[in-house]
Amino acid sequence: MISTREVSEKLRQLRMKAHYSQEQLADYLALTQSTVSRIENGKQVPDAVTYENWMWVCKNPPKRYQFYYDRGNAQCVN
């Protein structure tokens, strides 16, 4: 059986490997930064959905797009 500490450490390592701050990850997961901190410090156990989403977001970073407007013609730069 895996301990709360092991889960917390694994999730922290995934976040750091993905180069996210706690605040960035919280935004992606619709959590607060303090919730991310509590999970990483083992003070709170994530529910199954949060755990799965955390792992997915860290392994599959969201695409960021920048839009530039030139005389009403939008251009998307990836």
Side-chain angles (χ1 to χ4, degrees):
M1 183 173 228
I2 190 166
S3 71
T4 302
R5 182 179 174 152
E6 290 170 321
V7 170
S8 298
E9 187 58 34
K10 179 178 183 173
L11 293 176
R12 179 191 306 263
Q13 288 174 357
L14 279 171
R15 177 184 61 80
M16 294 176 76
K17 186 175 181 182
H19 304 288
Y20 292 139
S21 67
Q22 288 183 342
E23 188 173 85
Q24 287 171 317
L25 183 62
D27 285 343
Y28 290 139
L29 299 177
L31 301 171
T32 63
Q33 179 275 327
S34 62
T35 299
V36 171
S37 178
R38 285 195 307 269
I39 291 170
E40 288 186 350
N41 290 316
K43 295 178 181 177
Q44 181 175 334
V45 177
D47 60 33
V49 172
T50 300
Y51 181 82
E52 289 293 324
N53 288 341
W54 187 311
M55 293 184 66
W56 192 88
V57 166
C58 288
K59 292 179 180 181
N60 303 287
K63 295 273 185 191
R64 294 273 185 177
Y65 297 97
Q66 295 177 338
F67 290 92
Y68 295 95
Y69 295 93
D70 180 23
R71 296 185 186 158
N73 296 321
Q75 294 181 340
C76 180
V77 178
N78 191 3

